[in-house]
Amino acid sequence: MKTFDNLKLCKKDARKGKTIISVGGVQIGSGFTMIAGPCSVESEEQTYKTALPLKKMGVDILRGGVFKARTSPYDFQGLGIDGLKILNKVGKEFNLPVITEVLDTRDVEITSKYVDILQVGSRNMQNFSLLKEVGSSGKPVLLKRGMSATLEEWLNCAEYILEKGNPDVILCERGIRTFETYTRNTLDMTVVPSLKLLTHLPVLVDPSHGTGTPELIEPMSLSAVGAGADGLMIEVHHNPSEALSDKVQAINPKEYSVIISKVRKMHTFITSNLV
Amino acid sequence: MKTFDNLKLCKKDARKGKTIISVGGVQIGSGFTMIAGPCSVESEEQTYKTALPLKKMGVDILRGGVFKARTSPYDFQGLGIDGLKILNKVGKEFNLPVITEVLDTRDVEITSKYVDILQVGSRNMQNFSLLKEVGSSGKPVLLKRGMSATLEEWLNCAEYILEKGNPDVILCERGIRTFETYTRNTLDMTVVPSLKLLTHLPVLVDPSHGTGTPELIEPMSLSAVGAGADGLMIEVHHNPSEALSDKVQAINPKEYSVIISKVRKMHTFITSNLV
Amino acid sequence: MKTFDNLKLCKKDARKGKTIISVGGVQIGSGFTMIAGPCSVESEEQTYKTALPLKKMGVDILRGGVFKARTSPYDFQGLGIDGLKILNKVGKEFNLPVITEVLDTRDVEITSKYVDILQVGSRNMQNFSLLKEVGSSGKPVLLKRGMSATLEEWLNCAEYILEKGNPDVILCERGIRTFETYTRNTLDMTVVPSLKLLTHLPVLVDPSHGTGTPELIEPMSLSAVGAGADGLMIEVHHNPSEALSDKVQAINPKEYSVIISKVRKMHTFITSNLV
Amino acid sequence: MKTFDNLKLCKKDARKGKTIISVGGVQIGSGFTMIAGPCSVESEEQTYKTALPLKKMGVDILRGGVFKARTSPYDFQGLGIDGLKILNKVGKEFNLPVITEVLDTRDVEITSKYVDILQVGSRNMQNFSLLKEVGSSGKPVLLKRGMSATLEEWLNCAEYILEKGNPDVILCERGIRTFETYTRNTLDMTVVPSLKLLTHLPVLVDPSHGTGTPELIEPMSLSAVGAGADGLMIEVHHNPSEALSDKVQAINPKEYSVIISKVRKMHTFITSNLV
């Protein structure tokens, strides 16, 4: 088995116990963290309408994209700083910590003022300038796995952030690219327990991007709980058919309520009976 | 979403309800089926010593390879017909149905006399002559997914068997090939709920080949239960360090006892509380 | 760099010089071998009409499938032994050695009577029973690479044949499976010079399956010559739009005539000027 | 076949004829462009010693990395602006246009002052902020393909640059990630003629990163010529064993001299005799 010799700070034996990250009263890495919200922040109304039911169901953290990494330059690119302000406002209203993706080193400082957690997306996993910048931001960072990144490469990217003095890194599996075309990506569930062997950092799973298929989000969420994940990030839109991005894979709050309920029950069962 | 138009008999709407396969009192596709045993049948003593504790733990079906598909011609190729006789004898002694892989169309008839289920392995998933032959054998067939097979190709292979008049096909995910080298293969857990959308056939998961790593078998087994699998196939050897094949990934009966216990509890919890 | 320690007979240093295989006056491994013909033998007329212009252009070997490995059981499965007889008859008429794929161990003996070279296809690369059987057939064997086979696995399959006493193995790259969907497969041209470092066996390239796209066959043929291949296998049908299999990727004799002419010129230039 | 409907400016029919990019007297997209130089600019002496023989052999453009995208934060990260100055100075001395990779939007302006062509590397192919910034830089951009990028995604990234008003984009294939571990990456030669069907932009191949193996650079260079590439980018170091990065795959000037000579001859032969 590989030893990953070039890693230092993120290795399991680099500290005692798991990393637990405190954000607005939520403990990521302890218990089971549910992050949900729209792919994109489209308007205050849309963000509010989505956040309201999520808060009632007990979601821990609100997500929403404002700088969008889109395949085509002709696709919706996000609301930018206006979106940051909306996300911040709605988060405060519902007392929900908020997370958004940052794409550009020049946006890290302003984004850090409005959100609680910075996300580095798949396409930027090895954007080393960005990793260094979020490593110096003072904010927790959720680092998604690149579409064809090995575990070793992914952990080295976490190391870039840790090395800048930021201990608060959350790893998030979101599916890798394979030959299979039935699902958008191939969710690599094995990385969850593999990471638990290798690192002290919390590990989340994103079944929305991982499958791209609403019907598969519930079973893959339960599968992630079984695999030992520390939480889930799921795309929820108050009206998916009107979403400006990723409309195919988003679910509505009612569909999400079934998932969060089952996930919570299963996590409680496992921690009470199977450890 | 794909419609898989070229499929007929294996499609979900081709029959009412799920396919349930009765083998020696075991109902595959109903409840949760645990298949376990050594990678290779090496001797009567070894098979007996492995089967004895497995039977006590409530394993449903005993596995053991006698015709081995080995990467190198210089590796152990299996005991052949002598192995069939051992597997048959030990299965009868413990009242356990037995399953073994068949590699050659010429071996299907003799193998069918000694075992309860025929397995078609990954490397032969698209060995269409073999599929036709096991389709005419009168025995249930466990069909493993090829290392780089799409869902559509895999289901078409099931269709080859069904088309010969054999309705008793079990699908088994065992990991696909990706760029990741930390684990032997990448277990594609998403195929479990995907197959549930597409077909009435039972779906098993093999976390032994899927991960190649003993420490990952328990979490991936629980993950498979969460994903909705109908059972698990796990390699168990009474003394893994002496195994003639796949020694790295086998676990011993004591390690397996923890897994089967947790899996049974979790499956019961889910079917009682989360449906 | 890997050493491939488990290989013996196929390694470069296992014999002096390259393996050169003599078949009906053609020397495979010396010069540049052009194999062409239809995906499937469909009738005597079709085979004749395709072979006639190919012979005139100087094709070395005629290909034609009679046992077809088809994804769906409802697709054309080939003419079987009737096809063997047609291929044999047309080959004799034009004094062209013939090659066909064999799928079943039980068909090796009869097929060996009618053709000059046996082909083992991608889906059967690791059908070890079949490899042993063609290894004992006394006929040269063209072994295609599996869709997700590593070099090491592929060479081990060649070793299975060599180990049975058959020294006449031809390796043929036909594209691997990746995430790319623009082409049918991803032709891995790097294996050509890689194999030249590792083995004494001749190496062919199949740009028809490798690309699945008629417009790409000419440039990829020239690319294969540059990479150092020993020959090409290309699907040609006298009327591609009527072909019973692989009609999308077949080219007609006129299109092929341009390719064979350029390939011959380029191979001559390289061997005369760039060595 | 895909139509890539979301593309506009980079499509083949968006302009008359091929894009030809003029840089310091070199016409990229016309003739055959040879780019060579060290992975990293390490010192003025090293850059000078490498450039001197390259200039004599007729290399068109000098490459050298100053901002290095390294897997580990503990690896050599490049000389930064000092490196830019060295590259600029050596390029002027030998009258060679120079190219370097830029990683951070904040470095585009300064880098544009010192070099003739900006490179966007694999790991940043979908760093859309960077694409927009180099699209506004006024400098030609060499855009490498991401390790698991589809053709469609890659062309959309070119579209991002073109859409900002910069018509001078060069595409460069550098190998994709597959299951194969014998070579560092799998050079996807088929993209060369595929791109020729789809776009008017020039297409280069990087066999150094594509194979990671010095012995494979010559055959894959000739293969690229056969496939119709517009040029090659090859890593050359005056003393590879002392290189601070990618020392395994670099070749020395003497080895390169054989390759450039054969490549030039083969390209001349093809354009004179095979069109």
Side-chain angles (χ1 to χ4, degrees), chain A residues 39-40 63 65-79 100-104 119-125 127 130 144 147 174 184 209 235 245-246, chain D residues 125-129 131-132 153 157 160:
Chain A
C39 178
S40 295
R63 63 151 285 155
V66 304
F67 304 110
K68 300 302 301 174
R70 303 304 300 278
T71 302
S72 165
Y74 309 115
D75 289 338
F76 175 60
Q77 305 278 313
L79 297 184
T100 205
E101 182 175 352
V102 64
L103 303 178
D104 192 318
Q119 178 178 318
V120 174
S122 290
R123 291 165 184 77
N124 282 304
M125 187 196 83
N127 179 341
L130 186 62
K144 286 201 162 185
M147 285 177 213
R174 48 76 72 201
R184 182 174 175 184
H209 287 88
E235 288 191 355
S245 56
D246 279 356
Chain D
M125 187 196 83
Q126 288 190 312
N127 179 342
F128 300 113
S129 296
L131 296 177
K132 290 173 184 175
E153 289 169 334
C157 292
Y160 263 96

Side-chain angles (χ1 to χ4, degrees), chain C residues 218-239:
Chain C
E218 178 184 314
M220 294 318 290
S221 294
L222 296 176
S223 181
V225 179
D230 295 297
L232 290 165
M233 182 181 233
I234 293 175
E235 288 191 355
V236 181
H237 191 286
H238 75 96
N239 188 350

Side-chain angles (χ1 to χ4, degrees), chain D residues 34-39 54 61 63 205-209 217-218 220-221 231-237 249-252 256 259-260 263:
Chain D
M34 293 297 279
I35 304 178
C39 178
L54 293 178
I61 297 168
R63 63 152 286 156
V205 171
D206 172 352
S208 298
H209 287 88
I217 295 174
E218 179 185 315
M220 295 318 291
S221 294
L232 289 165
M233 182 180 232
I234 294 175
E235 287 190 356
V236 182
H237 191 286
Q249 76 199 27
I251 57 175
N252 64 36
Y256 183 75
I259 294 172
I260 192 171
V263 162

